[in-house]
Amino acid sequence: NCDWSSDVCSSDLADEVELRRLLLSLFPSLTDPRLQDLVCDRIMGCTIAEIASNHGMTEHQASRKLQLLIRQLRSRFQSAR
């Protein structure tokens, strides 16, 4: 479940911290915590509807933002090869 207002166990928090470290090591330019939150939520299995609700945006906005982020990350990853 992706409702961050509910109790979150410490192992979930540790997983998220590790995920953020991994993201930053692969994509050092992804420094905006709000964008990291979107990516982490999606990687952790949140639906677009859950991400939109968690971050105060419409589903269309959440979907579009994630699409743009994924395109940017792919481009940076491929150019770094």
Side-chain angles (χ1 to χ4, degrees), residues 1-48:
N1 189 349
C2 292
D3 180 5
W4 293 110
S5 63
S6 64
D7 290 336
V8 179
C9 69
S10 60
S11 66
D12 289 342
L13 293 175
D15 290 345
E16 186 174 345
V17 168
E18 186 58 32
L19 180 56
R20 285 178 188 275
R21 283 189 194 133
L22 178 60
L23 279 173
L24 282 173
S25 71
L26 292 172
F27 307 104
S29 60
L30 186 63
T31 58
D32 184 334
R34 293 170 299 180
L35 296 179
Q36 291 175 7
D37 287 345
L38 292 175
V39 174
C40 286
D41 282 357
R42 191 63 172 153
I43 291 171
M44 298 295 273
C46 290
T47 65
I48 297 296

